[in-house]
Amino acid sequence: VDTASLQGAPLVACQGTADRPPCIEDWIRDQGLRLYRRPLTDNQVVGFAVAFEEQPPGTTPEAAARNVLLSMLISPYFVYRIELGAQTTKALTIAPPSGPGVMLPIPGNPLSAYEVAARLSHFVWRSGPDAALLAQAASGELLREDGMLAAFDRLMSDARALPARVQQHLEWLHLEQWGALDAAGEVERLEREQTSRFIADVLTSRHGSLTELLTSSRQPLNAALAQELGIS
């Protein structure tokens, strides 16, 4: 929150205008959509707007905004990805050998478009949805198979996808806790970078080969690591 840039935020321009509350609510809705990965409910918007207005005398709009952002960030809706879907019941027709078909209820929990957006972005980027993905959720495009696949392809082609895929492999191999490596200080940092670069190379230059990942004799090195490993 302290490092967030609020320069030029709409709420500053709204200060002292007759339509300040609607203007503040627009800013709250925008921030909430980004942080909660879904539109805020009307009650949430009202609550945050009240929190913005009920600041001590002399509080600047920027300071009030930071307090609102802090409230958003300590909420479970930001801390946890809550994607429960919507309870629905579909009907399945069972046709016996003779006589009319029998309708049987099939419960389900289909995800909403915003929940699909959150799952896609956190899987591919390890981060929340960007504006384009949220727009696709708002239009319902992500609920279509072709729209979902197109969004996935776009995310995968972005530069942010590779670090997330590397991190997935580090976690899979239980290397995300670097105390597992018998090294300390600068050597540990170099070994961490070496491992990450190696995985990235396998994914991008060696066709994501599992054999290469587990048995390759090629490793990225620098002078310090070579000396540590006894390589001239």
Side-chain angles (χ1 to χ4, degrees):
V1 172
D2 288 340
T3 60
S5 175
L6 297 177
Q7 296 298 321
L11 60 97
V12 177
C14 287
Q15 188 176 20
T17 64
D19 60 345
R20 180 175 177 179
C23 191
I24 298 303
E25 289 183 3
D26 289 343
W27 179 81
I28 289 172
R29 291 181 191 278
D30 178 67
Q31 298 300 312
L33 175 62
R34 292 173 53 237
L35 294 176
Y36 292 177
R37 287 87 59 183
R38 59 157 178 78
L40 297 180
T41 65
D42 290 340
N43 286 339
Q44 287 174 324
V45 172
V46 170
F48 286 127
V50 170
F52 184 93
E53 295 292 343
E54 293 183 350
Q55 297 291 325
T59 303
T60 65
E62 183 182 34
R66 292 189 187 281
N67 290 336
V68 170
L69 286 178
L70 180 60
S71 296
M72 291 182 177
L73 290 173
I74 63 176
S75 164
Y77 293 109
F78 172 75
V79 178
Y80 302 106
R81 286 193 296 122
I82 304 173
E83 297 143 20
L84 302 178
Q87 288 283 349
T88 64
T89 300
K90 298 181 180 179
L92 176 66
T93 301
I94 304 297
S98 61
V102 179
M103 301 291 290
L104 297 178
I106 306 296
N109 290 79
L111 297 177
S112 72
Y114 287 99
E115 289 174 323
V116 171
R119 289 202 178 186
L120 278 176
S121 64
H122 281 280
F123 174 71
V124 181
W125 287 349
R126 294 299 180 91
S127 182
D130 63 358
L133 197 58
L134 290 172
Q136 289 174 305
S139 69
E141 184 178 344
L142 294 182
L143 296 181
R144 303 196 317 268
E145 182 178 356
D146 59 341
M148 186 189 306
L149 292 175
F152 177 78
D153 288 341
R154 180 181 71 83
L155 299 182
M156 286 294 290
S157 65
D158 190 281
R160 285 170 284 186
L162 182 58
R165 293 168 69 197
V166 170
Q167 183 63 30
Q168 288 170 352
H169 283 75
L170 292 173
E171 292 172 358
W172 170 53
L173 296 170
H174 299 287
L175 291 174
E176 75 279 11
Q177 299 296 327
W178 286 95
L181 297 176
D182 187 18
E186 179 66 9
V187 173
E188 178 182 352
R189 185 191 69 78
L190 290 173
E191 288 185 349
R192 177 173 184 164
E193 182 178 354
Q194 177 192 41
T195 305
S196 297
R197 288 193 181 209
F198 168 70
I199 294 172
D201 182 58
V202 171
L203 291 173
T204 58
S205 302
R206 294 188 249 177
H207 311 292
S209 165
L210 184 63
T211 300
E212 284 286 312
L213 182 70
L214 299 180
T215 67
S216 175
S217 60
R218 297 176 56 195
Q219 282 282 349
L221 287 172
N222 65 4
L225 275 178
Q227 180 179 1
E228 180 71 16
L229 297 173
I231 299 173
S232 61

mmCIF file with all atom_site columns, all heavy atoms in Angstrom, residues 78-98:
data_model
loop_
_atom_site.group_PDB
_atom_site.id
_atom_site.type_symbol
_atom_site.label_atom_id
_atom_site.label_alt_id
_atom_site.label_comp_id
_atom_site.label_asym_id
_atom_site.label_entity_id
_atom_site.label_seq_id
_atom_site.pdbx_PDB_ins_code
_atom_site.Cartn_x
_atom_site.Cartn_y
_atom_site.Cartn_z
_atom_site.occupancy
_atom_site.B_iso_or_equiv
_atom_site.pdbx_formal_charge
_atom_site.auth_seq_id
_atom_site.auth_comp_id
_atom_site.auth_asym_id
_atom_site.auth_atom_id
_atom_site.pdbx_PDB_model_num
ATOM 1   N N   . PHE A 1 78 ? -9.138  -10.938 -0.867  1.00 0.00 ? 78 PHE A N   1
ATOM 2   C CA  . PHE A 1 78 ? -7.860  -10.726 -1.536  1.00 0.00 ? 78 PHE A CA  1
ATOM 3   C C   . PHE A 1 78 ? -6.863  -11.805 -1.146  1.00 0.00 ? 78 PHE A C   1
ATOM 4   O O   . PHE A 1 78 ? -6.140  -12.342 -1.989  1.00 0.00 ? 78 PHE A O   1
ATOM 5   C CB  . PHE A 1 78 ? -7.282  -9.352  -1.190  1.00 0.00 ? 78 PHE A CB  1
ATOM 6   C CG  . PHE A 1 78 ? -5.873  -9.157  -1.693  1.00 0.00 ? 78 PHE A CG  1
ATOM 7   C CD1 . PHE A 1 78 ? -5.642  -8.929  -3.035  1.00 0.00 ? 78 PHE A CD1 1
ATOM 8   C CD2 . PHE A 1 78 ? -4.786  -9.232  -0.833  1.00 0.00 ? 78 PHE A CD2 1
ATOM 9   C CE1 . PHE A 1 78 ? -4.344  -8.779  -3.515  1.00 0.00 ? 78 PHE A CE1 1
ATOM 10  C CE2 . PHE A 1 78 ? -3.491  -9.073  -1.299  1.00 0.00 ? 78 PHE A CE2 1
ATOM 11  C CZ  . PHE A 1 78 ? -3.277  -8.843  -2.647  1.00 0.00 ? 78 PHE A CZ  1
ATOM 12  N N   . VAL A 1 79 ? -6.797  -12.134 0.124   1.00 0.00 ? 79 VAL A N   1
ATOM 13  C CA  . VAL A 1 79 ? -5.788  -13.072 0.616   1.00 0.00 ? 79 VAL A CA  1
ATOM 14  C C   . VAL A 1 79 ? -5.997  -14.466 0.032   1.00 0.00 ? 79 VAL A C   1
ATOM 15  O O   . VAL A 1 79 ? -5.041  -15.165 -0.324  1.00 0.00 ? 79 VAL A O   1
ATOM 16  C CB  . VAL A 1 79 ? -5.829  -13.127 2.158   1.00 0.00 ? 79 VAL A CB  1
ATOM 17  C CG1 . VAL A 1 79 ? -4.810  -14.138 2.684   1.00 0.00 ? 79 VAL A CG1 1
ATOM 18  C CG2 . VAL A 1 79 ? -5.549  -11.742 2.736   1.00 0.00 ? 79 VAL A CG2 1
ATOM 19  N N   . TYR A 1 80 ? -7.253  -14.882 -0.107  1.00 0.00 ? 80 TYR A N   1
ATOM 20  C CA  . TYR A 1 80 ? -7.561  -16.214 -0.629  1.00 0.00 ? 80 TYR A CA  1
ATOM 21  C C   . TYR A 1 80 ? -8.259  -16.096 -1.977  1.00 0.00 ? 80 TYR A C   1
ATOM 22  O O   . TYR A 1 80 ? -9.026  -15.173 -2.212  1.00 0.00 ? 80 TYR A O   1
ATOM 23  C CB  . TYR A 1 80 ? -8.477  -16.979 0.332   1.00 0.00 ? 80 TYR A CB  1
ATOM 24  C CG  . TYR A 1 80 ? -7.908  -17.141 1.711   1.00 0.00 ? 80 TYR A CG  1
ATOM 25  C CD1 . TYR A 1 80 ? -8.394  -16.399 2.781   1.00 0.00 ? 80 TYR A CD1 1
ATOM 26  C CD2 . TYR A 1 80 ? -6.868  -18.031 1.954   1.00 0.00 ? 80 TYR A CD2 1
ATOM 27  C CE1 . TYR A 1 80 ? -7.869  -16.538 4.056   1.00 0.00 ? 80 TYR A CE1 1
ATOM 28  C CE2 . TYR A 1 80 ? -6.336  -18.180 3.225   1.00 0.00 ? 80 TYR A CE2 1
ATOM 29  C CZ  . TYR A 1 80 ? -6.838  -17.434 4.263   1.00 0.00 ? 80 TYR A CZ  1
ATOM 30  O OH  . TYR A 1 80 ? -6.313  -17.575 5.524   1.00 0.00 ? 80 TYR A OH  1
ATOM 31  N N   . ARG A 1 81 ? -7.976  -17.062 -2.847  1.00 0.00 ? 81 ARG A N   1
ATOM 32  C CA  . ARG A 1 81 ? -8.720  -17.137 -4.098  1.00 0.00 ? 81 ARG A CA  1
ATOM 33  C C   . ARG A 1 81 ? -9.948  -18.002 -3.824  1.00 0.00 ? 81 ARG A C   1
ATOM 34  O O   . ARG A 1 81 ? -9.846  -19.216 -3.660  1.00 0.00 ? 81 ARG A O   1
ATOM 35  C CB  . ARG A 1 81 ? -7.856  -17.758 -5.203  1.00 0.00 ? 81 ARG A CB  1
ATOM 36  C CG  . ARG A 1 81 ? -6.787  -16.819 -5.710  1.00 0.00 ? 81 ARG A CG  1
ATOM 37  C CD  . ARG A 1 81 ? -6.154  -17.325 -6.995  1.00 0.00 ? 81 ARG A CD  1
ATOM 38  N NE  . ARG A 1 81 ? -5.452  -18.574 -6.810  1.00 0.00 ? 81 ARG A NE  1
ATOM 39  C CZ  . ARG A 1 81 ? -5.710  -19.691 -7.463  1.00 0.00 ? 81 ARG A CZ  1
ATOM 40  N NH1 . ARG A 1 81 ? -6.689  -19.723 -8.343  1.00 0.00 ? 81 ARG A NH1 1
ATOM 41  N NH2 . ARG A 1 81 ? -5.005  -20.773 -7.251  1.00 0.00 ? 81 ARG A NH2 1
ATOM 42  N N   . ILE A 1 82 ? -11.095 -17.375 -3.752  1.00 0.00 ? 82 ILE A N   1
ATOM 43  C CA  . ILE A 1 82 ? -12.326 -18.079 -3.417  1.00 0.00 ? 82 ILE A CA  1
ATOM 44  C C   . ILE A 1 82 ? -13.112 -18.311 -4.699  1.00 0.00 ? 82 ILE A C   1
ATOM 45  O O   . ILE A 1 82 ? -13.766 -17.407 -5.207  1.00 0.00 ? 82 ILE A O   1
ATOM 46  C CB  . ILE A 1 82 ? -13.149 -17.279 -2.390  1.00 0.00 ? 82 ILE A CB  1
ATOM 47  C CG1 . ILE A 1 82 ? -12.299 -17.000 -1.153  1.00 0.00 ? 82 ILE A CG1 1
ATOM 48  C CG2 . ILE A 1 82 ? -14.428 -18.022 -2.016  1.00 0.00 ? 82 ILE A CG2 1
ATOM 49  C CD1 . ILE A 1 82 ? -12.947 -16.082 -0.149  1.00 0.00 ? 82 ILE A CD1 1
ATOM 50  N N   . GLU A 1 83 ? -12.986 -19.508 -5.257  1.00 0.00 ? 83 GLU A N   1
ATOM 51  C CA  . GLU A 1 83 ? -13.651 -19.847 -6.514  1.00 0.00 ? 83 GLU A CA  1
ATOM 52  C C   . GLU A 1 83 ? -14.507 -21.090 -6.265  1.00 0.00 ? 83 GLU A C   1
ATOM 53  O O   . GLU A 1 83 ? -14.077 -22.215 -6.476  1.00 0.00 ? 83 GLU A O   1
ATOM 54  C CB  . GLU A 1 83 ? -12.620 -20.104 -7.609  1.00 0.00 ? 83 GLU A CB  1
ATOM 55  C CG  . GLU A 1 83 ? -11.780 -18.877 -7.931  1.00 0.00 ? 83 GLU A CG  1
ATOM 56  C CD  . GLU A 1 83 ? -10.345 -19.220 -8.238  1.00 0.00 ? 83 GLU A CD  1
ATOM 57  O OE1 . GLU A 1 83 ? -10.081 -20.390 -8.579  1.00 0.00 ? 83 GLU A OE1 1
ATOM 58  O OE2 . GLU A 1 83 ? -9.485  -18.341 -8.129  1.00 0.00 ? 83 GLU A OE2 1
ATOM 59  N N   . LEU A 1 84 ? -15.706 -20.871 -5.790  1.00 0.00 ? 84 LEU A N   1
ATOM 60  C CA  . LEU A 1 84 ? -16.574 -21.974 -5.381  1.00 0.00 ? 84 LEU A CA  1
ATOM 61  C C   . LEU A 1 84 ? -17.576 -22.359 -6.449  1.00 0.00 ? 84 LEU A C   1
ATOM 62  O O   . LEU A 1 84 ? -18.225 -23.397 -6.345  1.00 0.00 ? 84 LEU A O   1
ATOM 63  C CB  . LEU A 1 84 ? -17.323 -21.600 -4.092  1.00 0.00 ? 84 LEU A CB  1
ATOM 64  C CG  . LEU A 1 84 ? -16.434 -21.226 -2.899  1.00 0.00 ? 84 LEU A CG  1
ATOM 65  C CD1 . LEU A 1 84 ? -17.295 -20.829 -1.716  1.00 0.00 ? 84 LEU A CD1 1
ATOM 66  C CD2 . LEU A 1 84 ? -15.518 -22.375 -2.534  1.00 0.00 ? 84 LEU A CD2 1
ATOM 67  N N   . GLY A 1 85 ? -17.728 -21.529 -7.478  1.00 0.00 ? 85 GLY A N   1
ATOM 68  C CA  . GLY A 1 85 ? -18.734 -21.824 -8.490  1.00 0.00 ? 85 GLY A CA  1
ATOM 69  C C   . GLY A 1 85 ? -20.133 -21.537 -7.975  1.00 0.00 ? 85 GLY A C   1
ATOM 70  O O   . GLY A 1 85 ? -20.341 -21.063 -6.861  1.00 0.00 ? 85 GLY A O   1
ATOM 71  N N   . ALA A 1 86 ? -21.097 -21.826 -8.797  1.00 0.00 ? 86 ALA A N   1
ATOM 72  C CA  . ALA A 1 86 ? -22.508 -21.611 -8.449  1.00 0.00 ? 86 ALA A CA  1
ATOM 73  C C   . ALA A 1 86 ? -23.226 -22.952 -8.415  1.00 0.00 ? 86 ALA A C   1
ATOM 74  O O   . ALA A 1 86 ? -23.116 -23.749 -9.346  1.00 0.00 ? 86 ALA A O   1
ATOM 75  C CB  . ALA A 1 86 ? -23.167 -20.692 -9.478  1.00 0.00 ? 86 ALA A CB  1
ATOM 76  N N   . GLN A 1 87 ? -23.931 -23.190 -7.327  1.00 0.00 ? 87 GLN A N   1
ATOM 77  C CA  . GLN A 1 87 ? -24.668 -24.449 -7.201  1.00 0.00 ? 87 GLN A CA  1
ATOM 78  C C   . GLN A 1 87 ? -25.776 -24.514 -8.257  1.00 0.00 ? 87 GLN A C   1
ATOM 79  O O   . GLN A 1 87 ? -26.622 -23.636 -8.331  1.00 0.00 ? 87 GLN A O   1
ATOM 80  C CB  . GLN A 1 87 ? -25.298 -24.560 -5.805  1.00 0.00 ? 87 GLN A CB  1
ATOM 81  C CG  . GLN A 1 87 ? -24.283 -24.817 -4.706  1.00 0.00 ? 87 GLN A CG  1
ATOM 82  C CD  . GLN A 1 87 ? -23.816 -26.258 -4.671  1.00 0.00 ? 87 GLN A CD  1
ATOM 83  O OE1 . GLN A 1 87 ? -24.387 -27.109 -5.328  1.00 0.00 ? 87 GLN A OE1 1
ATOM 84  N NE2 . GLN A 1 87 ? -22.773 -26.523 -3.907  1.00 0.00 ? 87 GLN A NE2 1
ATOM 85  N N   . THR A 1 88 ? -25.732 -25.525 -9.081  1.00 0.00 ? 88 THR A N   1
ATOM 86  C CA  . THR A 1 88 ? -26.769 -25.719 -10.101 1.00 0.00 ? 88 THR A CA  1
ATOM 87  C C   . THR A 1 88 ? -27.163 -27.188 -10.147 1.00 0.00 ? 88 THR A C   1
ATOM 88  O O   . THR A 1 88 ? -26.493 -28.047 -9.603  1.00 0.00 ? 88 THR A O   1
ATOM 89  C CB  . THR A 1 88 ? -26.280 -25.296 -11.497 1.00 0.00 ? 88 THR A CB  1
ATOM 90  O OG1 . THR A 1 88 ? -25.189 -26.154 -11.871 1.00 0.00 ? 88 THR A OG1 1
ATOM 91  C CG2 . THR A 1 88 ? -25.824 -23.856 -11.525 1.00 0.00 ? 88 THR A CG2 1
ATOM 92  N N   . THR A 1 89 ? -28.253 -27.453 -10.805 1.00 0.00 ? 89 THR A N   1
ATOM 93  C CA  . THR A 1 89 ? -28.694 -28.827 -11.010 1.00 0.00 ? 89 THR A CA  1
ATOM 94  C C   . THR A 1 89 ? -29.057 -29.007 -12.478 1.00 0.00 ? 89 THR A C   1
ATOM 95  O O   . THR A 1 89 ? -29.891 -28.281 -13.012 1.00 0.00 ? 89 THR A O   1
ATOM 96  C CB  . THR A 1 89 ? -29.911 -29.172 -10.136 1.00 0.00 ? 89 THR A CB  1
ATOM 97  O OG1 . THR A 1 89 ? -29.548 -29.012 -8.758  1.00 0.00 ? 89 THR A OG1 1
ATOM 98  C CG2 . THR A 1 89 ? -30.346 -30.604 -10.374 1.00 0.00 ? 89 THR A CG2 1
ATOM 99  N N   . LYS A 1 90 ? -28.405 -29.951 -13.120 1.00 0.00 ? 90 LYS A N   1
ATOM 100 C CA  . LYS A 1 90 ? -28.719 -30.278 -14.497 1.00 0.00 ? 90 LYS A CA  1
ATOM 101 C C   . LYS A 1 90 ? -29.533 -31.578 -14.525 1.00 0.00 ? 90 LYS A C   1
ATOM 102 O O   . LYS A 1 90 ? -29.501 -32.373 -13.592 1.00 0.00 ? 90 LYS A O   1
ATOM 103 C CB  . LYS A 1 90 ? -27.434 -30.445 -15.318 1.00 0.00 ? 90 LYS A CB  1
ATOM 104 C CG  . LYS A 1 90 ? -26.590 -29.179 -15.396 1.00 0.00 ? 90 LYS A CG  1
ATOM 105 C CD  . LYS A 1 90 ? -25.357 -29.409 -16.240 1.00 0.00 ? 90 LYS A CD  1
ATOM 106 C CE  . LYS A 1 90 ? -24.513 -28.147 -16.336 1.00 0.00 ? 90 LYS A CE  1
ATOM 107 N NZ  . LYS A 1 90 ? -23.293 -28.357 -17.149 1.00 0.00 ? 90 LYS A NZ  1
ATOM 108 N N   . ALA A 1 91 ? -30.222 -31.782 -15.606 1.00 0.00 ? 91 ALA A N   1
ATOM 109 C CA  . ALA A 1 91 ? -31.058 -32.984 -15.728 1.00 0.00 ? 91 ALA A CA  1
ATOM 110 C C   . ALA A 1 91 ? -30.431 -33.949 -16.728 1.00 0.00 ? 91 ALA A C   1
ATOM 111 O O   . ALA A 1 91 ? -30.041 -33.563 -17.826 1.00 0.00 ? 91 ALA A O   1
ATOM 112 C CB  . ALA A 1 91 ? -32.464 -32.608 -16.179 1.00 0.00 ? 91 ALA A CB  1
ATOM 113 N N   . LEU A 1 92 ? -30.296 -35.190 -16.324 1.00 0.00 ? 92 LEU A N   1
ATOM 114 C CA  . LEU A 1 92 ? -29.791 -36.242 -17.197 1.00 0.00 ? 92 LEU A CA  1
ATOM 115 C C   . LEU A 1 92 ? -30.929 -37.209 -17.494 1.00 0.00 ? 92 LEU A C   1
ATOM 116 O O   . LEU A 1 92 ? -31.585 -37.708 -16.574 1.00 0.00 ? 92 LEU A O   1
ATOM 117 C CB  . LEU A 1 92 ? -28.633 -36.991 -16.510 1.00 0.00 ? 92 LEU A CB  1
ATOM 118 C CG  . LEU A 1 92 ? -28.047 -38.192 -17.266 1.00 0.00 ? 92 LEU A CG  1
ATOM 119 C CD1 . LEU A 1 92 ? -27.372 -37.713 -18.552 1.00 0.00 ? 92 LEU A CD1 1
ATOM 120 C CD2 . LEU A 1 92 ? -27.057 -38.936 -16.395 1.00 0.00 ? 92 LEU A CD2 1
ATOM 121 N N   . THR A 1 93 ? -31.170 -37.466 -18.765 1.00 0.00 ? 93 THR A N   1
ATOM 122 C CA  . THR A 1 93 ? -32.267 -38.364 -19.157 1.00 0.00 ? 93 THR A CA  1
ATOM 123 C C   . THR A 1 93 ? -31.738 -39.780 -19.306 1.00 0.00 ? 93 THR A C   1
ATOM 124 O O   . THR A 1 93 ? -30.819 -40.038 -20.095 1.00 0.00 ? 93 THR A O   1
ATOM 125 C CB  . THR A 1 93 ? -32.900 -37.902 -20.481 1.00 0.00 ? 93 THR A CB  1
ATOM 126 O OG1 . THR A 1 93 ? -33.384 -36.571 -20.323 1.00 0.00 ? 93 THR A OG1 1
ATOM 127 C CG2 . THR A 1 93 ? -34.049 -38.823 -20.874 1.00 0.00 ? 93 THR A CG2 1
ATOM 128 N N   . ILE A 1 94 ? -32.302 -40.694 -18.512 1.00 0.00 ? 94 ILE A N   1
ATOM 129 C CA  . ILE A 1 94 ? -31.961 -42.107 -18.604 1.00 0.00 ? 94 ILE A CA  1
ATOM 130 C C   . ILE A 1 94 ? -33.089 -42.814 -19.350 1.00 0.00 ? 94 ILE A C   1
ATOM 131 O O   . ILE A 1 94 ? -34.246 -42.797 -18.919 1.00 0.00 ? 94 ILE A O   1
ATOM 132 C CB  . ILE A 1 94 ? -31.789 -42.740 -17.204 1.00 0.00 ? 94 ILE A CB  1
ATOM 133 C CG1 . ILE A 1 94 ? -30.726 -41.968 -16.400 1.00 0.00 ? 94 ILE A CG1 1
ATOM 134 C CG2 . ILE A 1 94 ? -31.414 -44.206 -17.323 1.00 0.00 ? 94 ILE A CG2 1
ATOM 135 C CD1 . ILE A 1 94 ? -29.359 -42.013 -17.002 1.00 0.00 ? 94 ILE A CD1 1
ATOM 136 N N   . ALA A 1 95 ? -32.744 -43.433 -20.488 1.00 0.00 ? 95 ALA A N   1
ATOM 137 C CA  . ALA A 1 95 ? -33.760 -44.099 -21.310 1.00 0.00 ? 95 ALA A CA  1
ATOM 138 C C   . ALA A 1 95 ? -33.740 -45.606 -21.019 1.00 0.00 ? 95 ALA A C   1
ATOM 139 O O   . ALA A 1 95 ? -32.784 -46.295 -21.355 1.00 0.00 ? 95 ALA A O   1
ATOM 140 C CB  . ALA A 1 95 ? -33.495 -43.842 -22.788 1.00 0.00 ? 95 ALA A CB  1
ATOM 141 N N   . PRO A 1 96 ? -34.783 -46.124 -20.379 1.00 0.00 ? 96 PRO A N   1
ATOM 142 C CA  . PRO A 1 96 ? -34.855 -47.570 -20.132 1.00 0.00 ? 96 PRO A CA  1
ATOM 143 C C   . PRO A 1 96 ? -35.157 -48.312 -21.434 1.00 0.00 ? 96 PRO A C   1
ATOM 144 O O   . PRO A 1 96 ? -35.476 -47.693 -22.454 1.00 0.00 ? 96 PRO A O   1
ATOM 145 C CB  . PRO A 1 96 ? -36.008 -47.683 -19.135 1.00 0.00 ? 96 PRO A CB  1
ATOM 146 C CG  . PRO A 1 96 ? -36.861 -46.501 -19.423 1.00 0.00 ? 96 PRO A CG  1
ATOM 147 C CD  . PRO A 1 96 ? -35.938 -45.407 -19.859 1.00 0.00 ? 96 PRO A CD  1
ATOM 148 N N   . PRO A 1 97 ? -35.043 -49.649 -21.420 1.00 0.00 ? 97 PRO A N   1
ATOM 149 C CA  . PRO A 1 97 ? -35.324 -50.415 -22.647 1.00 0.00 ? 97 PRO A CA  1
ATOM 150 C C   . PRO A 1 97 ? -36.702 -50.138 -23.219 1.00 0.00 ? 97 PRO A C   1
ATOM 151 O O   . PRO A 1 97 ? -36.889 -50.162 -24.434 1.00 0.00 ? 97 PRO A O   1
ATOM 152 C CB  . PRO A 1 97 ? -35.176 -51.870 -22.191 1.00 0.00 ? 97 PRO A CB  1
ATOM 153 C CG  . PRO A 1 97 ? -34.278 -51.816 -21.008 1.00 0.00 ? 97 PRO A CG  1
ATOM 154 C CD  . PRO A 1 97 ? -34.601 -50.514 -20.327 1.00 0.00 ? 97 PRO A CD  1
ATOM 155 N N   . SER A 1 98 ? -37.655 -49.870 -22.367 1.00 0.00 ? 98 SER A N   1
ATOM 156 C CA  . SER A 1 98 ? -38.996 -49.557 -22.849 1.00 0.00 ? 98 SER A CA  1
ATOM 157 C C   . SER A 1 98 ? -39.606 -48.494 -21.953 1.00 0.00 ? 98 SER A C   1
ATOM 158 O O   . SER A 1 98 ? -39.246 -48.374 -20.785 1.00 0.00 ? 98 SER A O   1
ATOM 159 C CB  . SER A 1 98 ? -39.893 -50.807 -22.851 1.00 0.00 ? 98 SER A CB  1
ATOM 160 O OG  . SER A 1 98 ? -40.017 -51.312 -21.535 1.00 0.00 ? 98 SER A OG  1
#
